C-alpha cells in the first residue's frame, strides 16, 4: 500500500512539473537624455540648418514583458513557448508591440526548432555591442546594422558540439519587412567563455528596408583578464547600390573592484546607406552600477556624426548627448 501511495505521489509531481506555470519576466529601463545636435541639409531648393540645442527626452530602452515556459512531450523532447512584448514606459502609444514570440520543439539530440516572429539570425553572433541607454538612438548604437525581427519565420539551432553551435532561419514571403519578401540566413558561433566568435550570412529575395539584399557579419570578443573584455565586429551589407556598406566596431568593457562596470564602443561606417560619399562615426562611453541583483544604474555619453551625398541632396548630422537612468529586471 505504501509503495502504491509513493508511486501515485511521484506521478502527481511529474504531471505538475510537466504542466508548470509559465515564467513571467521582463525589464523596465528608463533614461533621461540630453542631446545637442546640428543638422545641415542642402540641395536643389533646399538649404536648411536645424540646431536642436539641448533637447531633453525621457526614453524607454527595450523595456519588455513576457511569458515563457516549456512542457515535456517525451523523455527527451520539450514544447517551448514565449510571448514577449515591448513596452514604451514613457509613452501611451505602441504599448504592447511584438518582440520574439514563438512556439517550438527542443530535442536533446537533434536541437531546437522555433516558429513565429524571431530575431534575425545575425544578432546571435554580435559579440561586440556593449552600449547602454537611449542617447542618440535606441538602446544599442549598433541597432541600425541589424536586420529587424522577421515575421512568419522558422529558426533552427543545433545542439552544442563542444564549444560550437550552428543555426539557420527562413522567413516566409508573407508581409516580411516592407512588402512581400522572404529572407534566409545561416550562422555559426564558437563560445568558450574567455573567447567567443561568430559568423553569419543573411540574404533577402527582394527589396527590403533600405533595398537590403544580403549581409555578412563576423564578430568576436576576448577576455584579456577577468576584469577586461574587448570586442570587434565587421559587417558588409549589400544595399543594392554600387557601393556596399562597411561597418566596423571596437568595444571594451572593464569591471572594477566596486559595483561599477565601465564600457566604451566606437562604430565606423563607410559607404553609409550604400552611398559612396556617406560616412558615419558613433562613439559611446559609460558605466553601469549594480545596485542589487535586479537593479542597475546607468550613466553615459555619446557622439554621432553622419554624412551623405546622394548626388542631389547633401546632409550632415552632428550630435552629442549625455544621459542616465535605471534598469530593473524581473
Amino acid at each position: 500500500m505504501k509503495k502504491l501511495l509513493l508511486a501515485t505521489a511521484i506521478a502527481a509531481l511529474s504531471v505538475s512539473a510537466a504542466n508548470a506555470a509559465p515564467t513571467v519576466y521582463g525589464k523596465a529601463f528608463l533614461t533621461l537624455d540630453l542631446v545637442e545636435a546640428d543638422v545641415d541639409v542642402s540641395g536643389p531648393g533646399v538649404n536648411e540648418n536645424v540646431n536642436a540645442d539641448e533637447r531633453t527626452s525621457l526614453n524607454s530602452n527595450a523595456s519588455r514583458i513576457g511569458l515563457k515556459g516549456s512542457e515535456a512531450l517525451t523523455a527527451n523532447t520539450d514544447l517551448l513557448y514565449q510571448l514577449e512584448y515591448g513596452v514604451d514606459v514613457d509613452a501611451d502609444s505602441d504599448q504592447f508591440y511584438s518582440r520574439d514570440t514563438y512556439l517550438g520543439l527542443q530535442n536533446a539530440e537533434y536541437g531546437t526548432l522555433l516558429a513565429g516572429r524571431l530575431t534575425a539570425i545575425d544578432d546571435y553572433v554580435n559579440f561586440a555591442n556593449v552600449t547602454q541607454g537611449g542617447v542618440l538612438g535606441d538602446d544599442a548604437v549598433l541597432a541600425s546594422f541589424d536586420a529587424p525581427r522577421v515575421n512568419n519565420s522558422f529558426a533552427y539551432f543545433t545542439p552544442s558540439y563542444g564549444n560550437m553551435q550552428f543555426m539557420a532561419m527562413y522567413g516566409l514571403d508573407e508581409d516580411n519587412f516592407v512588402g512581400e519578401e522572404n529572407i534566409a540566413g545561416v550562422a555559426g558561433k564558437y563560445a568558450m567563455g574567455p573567447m567567443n566568435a561568430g559568423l553569419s550570412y543573411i540574404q533577402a529575395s527582394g527589396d527590403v528596408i533600405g533595398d537590403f539584399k544580403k549581409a555578412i557579419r563576423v564578430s568576436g570578443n576576448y577576455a584579456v583578464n577577468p576584469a577586461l573584455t574587448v570586442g570587434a565586429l565587421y559587417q558588409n551589407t549589400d544595399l543594392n547600390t554600387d557601393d556596399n556598406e562597411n561597418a566596423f566596431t571596437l568595444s571594451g568593457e572593464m569591471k572594477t573592484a566596486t559595483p561599477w562596470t565601465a564600457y566604451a564602443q566606437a562604430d565606423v561606417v563607410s559607404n553609409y546607406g550604400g552611398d559612396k560619399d556617406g560616412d558615419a562615426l558613433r562613439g559611446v562611453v559609460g558605466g553601469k552600477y549594480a545596485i542589487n541583483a535586479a537593479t542597475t544604474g546607468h550613466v553615459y555619453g555619446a557622439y554621432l556624426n553622419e554624412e551623405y551625398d546622394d548626388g542631389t541632396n547633401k546632409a550632415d548630422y552632428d550630435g552629442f548627448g549625455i544621459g542616465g537612468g535605471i534598469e530593473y529586471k524581473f
Side-chain angles (χ1 to χ4, degrees), residues 69-128:
S70 64
E71 182 171 335
L73 300 180
T74 68
N76 61 355
T77 302
D78 293 340
L79 173 75
L80 305 179
Y81 62 90
Q82 178 173 295
L83 306 173
E84 183 176 293
Y85 302 94
V87 181
D88 282 334
V89 180
D90 62 322
D92 62 356
S93 60
D94 298 326
Q95 277 289 2
F96 293 99
Y97 52 91
S98 178
R99 290 173 57 89
D100 281 24
T101 301
Y102 57 78
L103 279 175
L105 295 173
Q106 183 178 53
N107 182 276
E109 182 179 359
Y110 299 112
T112 301
L113 178 66
L114 304 178
R117 174 171 163 82
L118 303 170
T119 296
I121 208 77
D122 60 346
D123 196 53
Y124 291 93
V125 295
N126 182 354
F127 293 108

Side-chain angles (χ1 to χ4, degrees), residues 195-255:
M195 183 173 69
N196 305 283
L199 175 69
S200 67
Y201 175 81
I202 292 182
Q203 181 167 338
S205 66
D207 295 340
V208 193
I209 292 176
D211 294 328
F212 165 90
K213 288 291 186 180
K214 53 182 176 286
I216 186 168
R217 168 183 290 181
V218 59
S219 174
N221 63 22
Y222 176 70
V224 178
N225 55 51
L228 176 63
T229 299
V230 295
L233 177 148
Y234 168 71
Q235 178 168 309
N236 179 279
T237 305
D238 182 352
L239 295 169
N240 198 26
T241 65
D242 293 335
D243 298 280
N244 288 356
E245 180 182 272
N246 293 291
F248 304 85
T249 290
L250 291 175
S251 65
E253 192 169 32
M254 177 175 286
K255 299 177 182 178

